[in-house]
Amino acid sequence: DFVEAGLLRRAGWGVRFVPQVKGSYEEVPATLIDYVLRDRRWCQGNLQHLNILGSKGFHPVTRFHLFHGAMGYLLSPAWFALLTVWALIGKGEEANVIRYFTGENPQVAWPEMSSVSNLAILVFMYGMLLAPKFLGAVALLGSGPVLRDLGGAGQFALSFITEIIVSVLYAPILMVQQTIAVARTWIGYTENWTPQARQGGLYPWTTVLKFHAVETVVGTLLFAGIFAGIITLWLLPIAVSLVLAVPLSMLSGAKLTRFKWTSRQLGTAEVFNAPKIIQSAKRERSRMRAVLENSDGIPAE
């Protein structure tokens, strides 16, 4: 879409975002695995945009859009590299992974990592993740639907906290998966552009474990290093997310709308104040379900 928009603008046409158009939206894939499979295709497409970044005639805004899309994926390998260096540094120059396993004085002069430095890195990493969500919440309250259409102030606050917790849990998993996606694109692997799985469902444990093997191994190694005292305890939140990649992936496919409390979390205005046509469709669907369930006792005409 951005390439097409850039070419249109280069040809002299005007291109506009029209966010106020309503009546159509696309939900995310129903499971984490399906989300990652789609993300790999998007990663390949966005990284390909770097090849035309220097083409003549593009507007600066177009170049920014193309660059921004690619950087959204390239930041994950950068984050992973930062965490790797952080883990190697361990607790500073006198307690790092290389010194621990070799018993020799490493050639690299490791920086001293104080508790303030560790906290600053952790705040910076999660700040990049969560800042857009806080800005989005402020923007929503300022120009979006009224709070009663989001379940009220209390429900909105609870949904927002839920989203923060879920984001913190899944962010390290997506970091590893996007790093894998960038590596696959870099070595020339071609992703298959197959239709998305919209219906959801649960994958077998063996499939999920195979898919998230890298996160599980990395998380286990981090836990082992923390337990041995050579990796800083500040990496514990990331280690927890990675070692729980398999159950978290299984949870992503669970149909939580079956329960009243979970169905209200992260609810949109369409959930709490559905349009009349959706309310009518739900009533007719319930009525038809009741008829079908009692159809065995209805004689055929």
Side-chain angles (χ1 to χ4, degrees):
D1 294 340
F2 283 109
V3 173
E4 183 180 8
L7 293 174
L8 285 170
R9 189 159 190 174
R10 188 174 69 173
W13 293 83
V15 181
R16 299 290 184 270
F17 283 110
V18 189
Q20 66 269 24
V21 174
K22 298 181 180 180
S24 177
Y25 66 94
E26 179 181 0
E27 294 184 331
V28 298
T31 67
L32 180 59
I33 290 180
D34 293 317
Y35 180 91
V36 170
L37 293 177
R38 185 190 70 171
D39 209 41
R40 288 178 179 177
R41 299 192 293 268
W42 286 11
C43 175
Q44 179 175 289
N46 278 274
L47 294 184
Q48 288 173 344
H49 294 167
L50 295 176
N51 297 326
I52 61 173
L53 195 60
S55 299
K56 294 181 180 180
F58 278 144
H59 192 277
V61 174
T62 297
R63 300 187 196 279
F64 170 76
H65 283 156
L66 298 177
F67 177 75
H68 180 268
M71 287 303 299
Y73 290 95
L74 293 176
L75 283 177
S76 287
W79 185 17
F80 187 78
L82 175 62
L83 292 177
T84 301
V85 173
W86 193 4
L88 290 175
I89 290 175
K91 296 183 178 179
E93 187 175 355
E94 296 302 322
N96 59 69
V97 176
I98 293 180
R99 183 190 297 275
Y100 181 87
F101 285 106
T102 63
E104 300 175 356
N105 191 16
Q107 299 299 315
V108 179
W110 297 104
E112 292 289 345
M113 292 290 288
S114 64
S115 58
V116 176
S117 301
N118 285 301
L119 179 61
I121 294 177
L122 201 64
V123 169
F124 174 74
M125 289 190 302
Y126 281 108
M128 290 193 301
L129 168 69
L130 300 178
K133 299 185 181 299
F134 282 95
L135 293 175
V138 173
L140 183 67
L141 294 175
S143 59
V146 294
L147 284 178
R148 68 172 177 270
D149 289 341
L150 298 174
Q155 180 60 60
F156 176 76
L158 185 58
S159 294
F160 181 70
I161 294 173
T162 302
E163 181 174 356
I164 295 298
I165 294 174
V166 170
S167 299
V168 170
L169 284 173
Y170 282 92
I173 302 173
L174 292 175
M175 170 200 65
V176 173
Q177 286 295 339
Q178 288 187 347
T179 300
I180 294 174
V182 171
R184 288 164 65 97
T185 301
W186 182 69
I187 64 177
Y189 189 90
T190 301
E191 303 294 345
N192 296 320
W193 290 78
T194 55
Q196 298 180 31
R198 300 292 186 182
Q199 299 302 319
L202 298 177
Y203 286 92
W205 277 98
T206 52
T207 301
V208 180
L209 181 58
K210 181 180 178 180
F211 193 87
H212 296 289
V214 176
E215 300 98 294
T216 305
V217 171
V218 172
T220 303
L221 291 175
L222 284 177
F223 258 114
I226 293 172
F227 182 78
I230 58 175
I231 292 181
T232 175
L233 193 61
W234 290 93
L235 285 173
L236 183 61
I238 296 170
V240 170
S241 295
L242 294 179
V243 83
L244 293 179
V246 171
L248 285 174
S249 184
M250 296 291 291
L251 179 63
S252 71
K255 191 174 182 180
L256 299 180
T257 54
R258 294 178 300 172
F259 308 105
K260 183 177 180 179
W261 186 86
T262 53
S263 65
R264 294 176 60 85
Q265 308 315 309
L266 308 180
T268 62
E270 288 74 18
V271 172
F272 296 105
N273 189 17
K276 291 183 178 180
I277 188 172
I278 295 181
Q279 296 179 16
S280 177
K282 288 182 177 179
R283 288 194 299 268
E284 293 301 322
R285 186 176 298 173
S286 298
R287 186 180 66 84
M288 181 60 68
R289 185 182 299 112
V291 171
L292 293 176
E293 290 176 351
N294 298 324
S295 60
D296 292 340
I298 301 177
E301 295 181 0

